[in-house]
Amino acid sequence: MLKPQINHRSQSTKTLFPFENSFLHGNGGQFFLLRVQSRPSSSNKASKVRVGFSSNIKAISIPFTGRNNNFTKVKAVVTVKRTIGSIVSDVTLTPGDIKDLVGRSLQLELVSAELDPKGLEKETVKDFAARDILASDGNDITYRAEFKVPLDFGDVGAIYVKNEHNLEFFLKDVVLEGFPNGPINIACDSWIQPKFKNEKRVFFTTKSYLPDKTPTGLERLRGEELEKLRGNGQGKRGFSDRIYDYDVYNDFGDPDSNPDLARPVLGGTEQYPYPRRCRTGRHRSRKDPNLEKRDDLLFYVPRDESFSGIKTLQFGAKAIYSVLHSLIPTLTSAIVDPDRGFPHFTEIDKLFNEGVDLPQKSKTSLINVIPRLVKGVADTAQSILKFETPEAMDRDKFFWLRDDEFARQTLAGLNPYSLELVTEWPLKSTLDPEIYGPPESAITKEIIEQEIKGFMTLELAIEQKKLFMLDYHDLFLPYVEKVREVKDIVLYGSRTIFFLNPDGTLRPLAIELVRPPIHGKPQWKRVYTPSWHSTEGWLWRHAKAHVLATDSTYHQLVAHWLRTHCCTEPYIIATNRQLSAMHPIHRLLNPHFRYTMEINALARNALVNAEGIIESTFSSNKYSTEYSSFVYGKKWRFDHEGLPNDLISRGLAIEDPSAPHGLKLTIEDHPFANDGLVLWDSMKEWFTDYVNHYYPNPSLIKSDKELQAWWSEIRNVGHGDKKDEPWWPVLETPEDLIEIITTIAWVTSGHHAAVNFGQYTYGGYFPNRPTIARTTMPDEDPTEEKWKFFLNKPERVLLNSFPSQMQATKVMTILDVLSSHSPDEEYIGDVPEPSWKDEPVIKAAFERYNGRMKEFEGIIDDRNANEDLKNRNGAGMMPYELLKPFSKPGVTGKGVPNSISI
């Protein structure tokens, strides 16, 4: 008898891509083995057992043993997600793999929720699942099993799954049919590791339980599963691990490859406070033992946090990875002089009209991954990088020049998180005057009153809440000298003052730019105002460009990276470490955490790392992550992360029980605030229904040991550098819990959507939001030659201050990808989780939530059509849709996903 040829596989984890031509079929309790007879190789008498269909196939029926009066026949339908990759169609089997052919590659065990009369766990009920080719479709693969369940088994509380195959696969769910009370659903959504990992996974039914309500038969499993996810804090994490643990950010730099790439450790010190990230356990740097080596192509995240399915193929990690590791190097070779700017505005227009020629070798690798950006040239092997015209520019080519649009975007643009009310005068810095110079602002009462031209006095404007400010003075001045040491980067501390017009729009009044004492020169400061004179008008445009570069840096590093991506990671880690998968709050928050850890790891790999996209294209340069730490220490407060408290803290709203949403807005026509508060209240109402169902007695909050450990870990470990702050909310009542989880969910959904999905719309035409300023103001210590050139060529001087061609194309490329929605995006209030559908009260509450989201779509449309709302309706103006809940795939400038998935 011929023996199968043994083909030993590597012990590295690989993904099982389900077979197109199935070799196994289960039907009505009978398994059919398809035997393929193969001819021995002429060079080797041993033959291979092949998987597939053949005219020589013979079917062997293996009957099920049946049932009797002591058992109930229960069928299991198992759904395995077809993951992205080449489909395995030809498998060489080892002797141990022969059992795959008879339906023994997927072992299932039913776990009773009850103990037996002796107080012991009941014996599990086992079976193997076989693939059903008739039930499988293009996206999912179906397996079936049939159990003989003893009549005294009790309720099924969980299921064990063991993968007897050599490859991992993604298990979507298991449905058990045949019980008198209807099907039992077990949502898995998890990667199951291959047999050589010797891992038996447990998944609980969709029934949620507080810790002290856990069925007795599941108590041990509940505790053991949490212990597995916590790990022991030792060793290097591997690709297939599911361990959640904390570490400081000690992997932004890479001094082993270049001493100039050393970056400070963020977190764990008073000097550099920071949230915690997921621990990877990599080896230490040779040059600095405080840092981890960046020796992996992709950073570790727990296996179930990684992308799966369509998102991996078209968007998310794969698209960003292609941009960072393929397109950017290609651009570097295509653009000969990386420091060359744009000599004329028509050269910028060519990026949209003609594109940038790419080397021929890039066409195959990129054109299929990012077809919106990389396009083939007909009848040639050439490909080009050609940008789509951003919608804001398409509506009004000169939108970026207008002062009213400059002001409007502080309320309805990409960064609505910086504008604040002016409440005191004169403006004064809190920085040390011995280091940074005189603290008084150069913006005087006379300047303000001259600009508002008799509307009112300065005092009355402050009293009536008419003056607002972008205050980047104290937040950037400490970095001005550091940044200016880097070639071709200029930074200022700045203040920009706006006046609220009677029609509800904002008008910019003055910009103050400040340079601290530097290189033996005294402090320099200058105030710029809009002017009818050409020289002052061009200086005003230069000043706006500097403010916008600063605002872009703050937006990307603070409003976006720090406050959403970075600060959310500790919530995810704590949820998986302290809240069981069957805990109702775990199941409520889980949709808001999907894919975030993977996108954060990718950002650390190539976006916010030393010499990454951010450092090379934004004003903060090599101090970028250090700067975000500086702002975290100065400004971040959990109790101000929710939208209402954020608006109140900036003077943009006051509490008013008689007003909509309980807040009276300082600027009534405030698109971000108005839409955001509808979304916030809708989310909070849903969370209130949910929490009150599971915590009908307020005392249950304090007695929930998992919940209390979760909140304690978020405060004391995940955000441990802030643990002693007095503003942390207590967690004692359902109202406390509702406010906390609404805040967390808002950050991952509404906040992130507002600062992310408009990036290409507003930043794709970079003169509207330059990310860097490369030259000083023309009147900062000018030479005679420099000033004369400015007077003769003011447009050229402005273009020289904008990003270089290399910087601009890199930023535009990444903003396009970051602004895109995946085809499988999961939008807020759209599709309920399985555990919510199986609980009637929760299902009804979610349906109300879904209805509110659909109604909200219409509310936004009506607001954008209202001509009285001049901050969202006008000639050539972008409507405000960034908080519109749903979206089609691609770059749309709308859509609020549940989670930070891009």
Side-chain angles (χ1 to χ4, degrees):
M1 179 178 179
L2 296 175
K3 296 182 180 180
Q5 177 174 312
I6 297 176
N7 180 16
H8 294 291
R9 292 184 181 272
S10 166
Q11 294 300 297
S12 62
T13 303
K14 298 181 179 179
T15 302
L16 170 61
F17 301 114
F19 304 121
E20 287 286 10
N21 295 324
S22 203
F23 56 85
L24 191 60
H25 177 53
N27 183 18
Q30 293 185 327
F31 299 131
F32 297 95
L33 167 65
L34 304 183
R35 176 180 296 162
V36 182
Q37 297 180 350
S38 60
R39 188 175 302 170
S41 167
S42 59
S43 60
N44 190 332
K45 294 184 179 181
S47 65
K48 295 181 180 179
V49 178
R50 289 187 176 273
V51 177
F53 290 108
S54 165
S55 58
N56 294 323
I57 293 176
K58 298 179 181 180
I60 301 175
S61 175
I62 305 175
F64 190 75
T65 56
R67 59 170 291 178
N68 58 41
N69 292 333
N70 296 322
F71 298 93
T72 297
K73 184 179 292 187
V74 174
K75 295 182 180 181
V77 179
V78 183
T79 304
V80 172
K81 194 169 185 178
R82 189 189 298 276
T83 51
I84 299 303
S86 58
I87 303 300
V88 177
S89 59
D90 186 356
V91 179
T92 303
L93 300 170
T94 69
D97 287 329
I98 297 299
K99 59 186 177 183
D100 293 343
L101 296 178
V102 292
R104 300 179 69 84
S105 61
L106 186 61
Q107 186 184 51
L108 307 177
E109 296 181 47
L110 304 184
V111 179
S112 175
E114 304 170 4
L115 299 178
D116 65 18
K118 296 180 180 180
L120 302 175
E121 293 180 359
K122 294 182 179 180
E123 186 176 349
T124 61
V125 179
K126 303 180 181 180
D127 195 15
F128 285 90
R131 181 174 172 183
D132 183 349
I133 59 173
L134 299 180
S136 300
D137 60 26
N139 297 318
D140 297 327
I141 308 299
T142 301
Y143 290 80
R144 298 186 184 275
E146 193 162 1
F147 301 92
K148 293 188 298 180
V149 181
L151 296 180
D152 62 352
F153 188 74
D155 292 336
V156 174
I159 190 169
Y160 281 118
V161 178
K162 189 173 182 181
N163 177 10
E164 294 288 348
H165 206 280
N166 279 328
L167 305 173
E168 71 169 2
F169 63 84
F170 190 83
L171 180 62
K172 189 174 179 180
D173 58 35
V174 179
V175 179
L176 303 175
E177 300 172 339
F179 292 102
N181 293 329
I184 294 177
N185 298 308
I186 303 175
C188 304
D189 288 327
S190 182
W191 293 96
I192 309 299
Q193 297 309 309
K195 61 185 179 182
F196 62 78
K197 293 288 184 180
N198 197 30
E199 180 183 28
K200 186 164 67 172
R201 292 288 305 281
V202 64
F203 297 97
F204 301 104
T205 65
T206 55
K207 182 71 174 177
S208 298
Y209 299 97
L210 299 181
D212 61 356
K213 304 294 184 183
T214 308
T216 54
L218 303 178
E219 288 178 347
R220 177 184 62 83
L221 292 181
R222 183 172 187 148
E224 286 184 355
E225 182 67 5
L226 282 174
E227 288 295 326
K228 289 179 182 178
L229 293 173
R230 292 173 192 148
N232 61 9
Q234 304 296 317
K236 181 180 179 180
R237 298 274 64 87
F239 169 79
S240 63
D241 286 345
R242 297 188 303 125
I243 296 174
Y244 296 79
D245 202 357
Y246 299 95
D247 205 347
V248 295
Y249 279 81
N250 58 0
D251 60 349
F252 285 134
D254 188 13
D256 289 352
S257 62
N258 186 337
D260 291 337
L261 300 185
R263 298 293 181 268
V265 176
L266 304 186
T269 65
E270 185 176 350
Q271 183 182 7
Y272 298 119
Y274 220 53
R276 299 298 186 265
R277 64 166 175 87
C278 185
R279 179 185 176 276
T280 62
R282 289 172 295 185
H283 298 300
R284 296 289 170 164
S285 162
R286 298 189 312 273
K287 298 290 181 65
D288 185 348
N290 293 316
L291 304 180
E292 276 190 352
K293 290 176 65 67
R294 294 170 59 87
D295 55 359
D296 293 327
L297 194 60
L298 291 176
F299 294 1
Y300 163 78
V301 296
R303 187 67 184 105
D304 288 343
E305 301 294 336
S306 59
F307 293 119
S308 63
I310 295 174
K311 189 174 285 290
T312 305
L313 177 64
Q314 297 184 13
F315 291 89
K318 188 167 185 179
I320 296 176
Y321 188 84
S322 296
V323 167
L324 297 176
H325 294 276
S326 297
L327 182 56
I328 298 303
T330 301
L331 277 174
T332 303
S333 63
I335 299 175
V336 178
D337 182 0
D339 298 325
R340 184 176 184 268
F342 292 89
H344 308 285
F345 278 95
T346 53
E347 292 295 313
I348 301 175
D349 294 341
K350 286 182 179 179
L351 296 173
F352 308 101
N353 301 328
E354 300 177 14
V356 178
D357 291 337
L358 299 176
Q360 293 185 6
K361 64 180 181 180
S362 67
K363 181 175 182 179
T364 302
S365 61
L366 292 169
I367 198 168
N368 295 323
V369 179
I370 41 177
R372 178 180 154 90
L373 292 176
V374 178
K375 301 171 173 63
V377 177
D379 302 325
T380 73
Q382 185 68 37
S383 57
I384 59 172
L385 175 70
K386 184 178 178 182
F387 294 97
E388 300 287 335
T389 302
E391 186 178 354
M393 181 189 177
D394 193 44
R395 286 171 175 261
D396 179 359
K397 184 175 182 179
F398 302 105
F399 78 110
W400 66 279
L401 271 173
R402 300 202 323 267
D403 286 351
D404 62 297
E405 180 66 11
F406 169 59
R408 189 190 75 89
Q409 286 183 30
T410 65
L411 302 173
L414 194 53
N415 178 25
Y417 276 96
S418 289
L419 189 72
E420 60 188 64
L421 180 69
V422 175
T423 58
E424 296 180 352
W425 201 271
L427 304 174
K428 191 174 182 179
S429 172
T430 61
L431 298 175
D432 186 350
E434 294 295 323
I435 300 174
Y436 299 105
E440 294 81 14
S441 171
I443 303 177
T444 63
K445 173 182 177 179
E446 290 73 22
I447 291 174
I448 296 300
E449 291 185 344
Q450 179 182 345
E451 290 302 315
I452 58 179
K453 301 187 188 307
F455 269 105
M456 60 185 67
T457 64
L458 171 70
E459 291 79 10
L460 191 58
I462 293 176
E463 179 184 340
Q464 295 187 3
K465 300 182 178 181
K466 299 292 185 181
L467 288 186
F468 298 84
M469 174 169 57
L470 289 180
D471 188 0
Y472 291 133
H473 185 278
D474 287 10
L475 289 178
F476 276 95
L477 204 63
Y479 282 85
V480 169
E481 183 174 5
K482 294 179 180 181
V483 167
R484 287 190 174 208
E485 293 173 355
V486 182
K487 179 185 176 184
D488 291 339
I489 303 181
V490 173
L491 188 63
Y492 293 99
S494 67
R495 298 182 180 97
T496 306
I497 306 296
F498 300 90
F499 178 74
L500 182 61
N501 293 317
D503 64 357
T505 61
L506 288 176
R507 175 165 31 123
L509 302 181
I511 292 174
E512 178 184 24
L513 300 181
V514 182
R515 180 200 70 197
I518 184 174
H519 304 314
K521 298 178 181 179
Q523 182 194 69
W524 178 90
K525 63 178 67 170
R526 172 77 190 272
V527 177
Y528 302 89
T529 58
S531 174
W532 296 102
H533 185 263
S534 61
T535 301
E536 294 299 321
W538 275 104
L539 288 173
W540 170 251
R541 294 188 187 102
H542 275 271
K544 282 201 302 181
H546 278 279
V547 169
L548 287 166
T550 304
D551 187 69
S552 295
T553 298
Y554 185 88
H555 159 261
Q556 201 63 263
L557 287 168
V558 178
H560 187 194
W561 161 253
L562 173 67
R563 291 183 62 179
T564 64
H565 289 261
C566 194
C567 287
T568 294
E569 187 145 334
Y571 310 148
I572 303 172
I573 298 172
T575 298
N576 284 277
R577 286 170 55 86
Q578 300 298 341
L579 297 181
S580 167
M582 67 171 71
H583 196 290
I585 301 304
H586 182 124
R587 284 175 163 157
L588 180 64
L589 289 175
N590 191 56
H592 294 285
F593 295 154
R594 287 183 179 135
Y595 305 132
T596 300
M597 291 183 73
E598 172 129 353
I599 204 69
N600 286 2
L602 186 63
R604 284 166 31 226
N605 181 274
L607 280 173
V608 294
N609 62 303
E611 289 193 338
I613 295 292
I614 302 299
E615 284 199 359
S616 62
T617 59
F618 282 77
S619 291
S620 47
N621 196 259
K622 66 179 182 179
Y623 301 101
S624 292
T625 52
E626 178 186 328
Y627 173 73
S628 66
S629 166
F630 173 73
V631 179
Y632 176 75
K634 293 285 186 184
K635 302 264 296 181
W636 188 85
R637 299 176 48 154
F638 181 87
D639 63 330
H640 286 179
E641 291 303 287
L643 178 61
N645 285 349
D646 170 74
L647 295 172
I648 292 170
S649 72
R650 292 189 281 132
L652 300 183
I654 59 172
E655 291 187 74
D656 182 352
S658 67
H661 317 292
L663 291 182
K664 178 177 176 58
L665 295 180
T666 312
I667 302 173
E668 293 183 5
D669 181 12
H670 188 163
F672 166 70
N674 279 307
D675 291 1
L677 287 170
V678 175
L679 185 57
W680 170 273
D681 277 2
S682 297
M683 294 170 63
K684 190 170 185 178
E685 187 174 341
W686 152 239
F687 292 145
T688 299
D689 290 340
Y690 190 97
V691 168
N692 287 341
H693 175 72
Y694 286 104
Y695 295 92
N697 186 335
S699 65
L700 293 173
I701 297 289
K702 285 187 176 181
S703 63
D704 188 334
K705 294 180 180 179
E706 287 184 6
L707 188 70
Q708 293 298 329
W710 168 77
W711 183 236
S712 175
E713 191 166 281
I714 286 174
R715 171 177 175 169
N716 294 301
V717 184
H719 285 276
D721 296 337
K722 296 269 192 174
K723 63 184 175 62
D724 296 325
E725 298 286 354
W727 41 252
W728 281 101
V730 297
L731 180 52
E732 297 179 347
T733 68
E735 290 74 22
D736 296 335
L737 178 59
I738 291 164
E739 187 71 20
I740 288 169
I741 60 179
T742 307
T743 296
I744 291 173
W746 163 259
V747 168
T748 68
S749 56
H751 180 153
H752 181 259
V755 300
N756 183 74
F757 292 105
Q759 289 195 87
Y760 191 74
T761 300
Y762 287 108
Y765 186 69
F766 68 85
N768 181 60
R769 289 189 64 81
T771 58
I772 198 168
R774 299 196 298 156
T775 62
T776 61
M777 287 293 296
D779 58 341
E780 182 193 333
D781 303 330
T783 63
E784 183 177 346
E785 181 181 3
K786 176 182 175 183
W787 184 250
K788 184 177 180 180
F789 185 75
F790 164 68
L791 294 177
N792 290 330
K793 299 286 186 181
E795 178 183 313
R796 182 66 180 273
V797 173
L798 180 62
L799 284 165
N800 288 343
S801 189
F802 283 160
S804 68
Q805 293 189 26
M806 184 71 238
Q807 290 168 331
T809 50
K810 285 166 69 172
V811 168
M812 292 165 65
T813 300
I814 199 65
L815 292 188
D816 184 278
V817 175
L818 294 179
S819 300
S820 295
H821 287 293
S822 166
D824 66 346
E825 194 80 86
E826 298 168 7
Y827 294 99
I828 193 164
D830 190 15
V831 179
E833 294 292 291
S835 63
W836 307 344
K837 292 188 292 186
D838 290 348
E839 187 71 30
V841 173
I842 300 302
K843 180 182 179 182
F846 185 84
E847 288 174 350
R848 293 193 296 273
Y849 182 37
N850 174 262
R852 290 193 296 271
M853 289 298 97
K854 292 177 179 177
E855 181 183 1
F856 184 33
E857 292 252 310
I859 291 173
I860 290 177
D861 288 340
D862 290 343
R863 287 174 172 176
N864 287 329
N866 187 343
E867 294 182 1
D868 293 332
L869 301 179
K870 298 186 182 301
N871 288 316
R872 58 196 309 158
N873 182 293
M877 185 183 296
M878 282 292 301
Y880 190 72
E881 297 184 316
L882 290 174
L883 293 178
K884 202 169 186 180
F886 311 120
S887 173
K888 64 182 181 180
V891 177
T892 64
K894 67 184 75 172
V896 183
N898 281 316
S899 63
I900 304 165
S901 59
I902 190 69

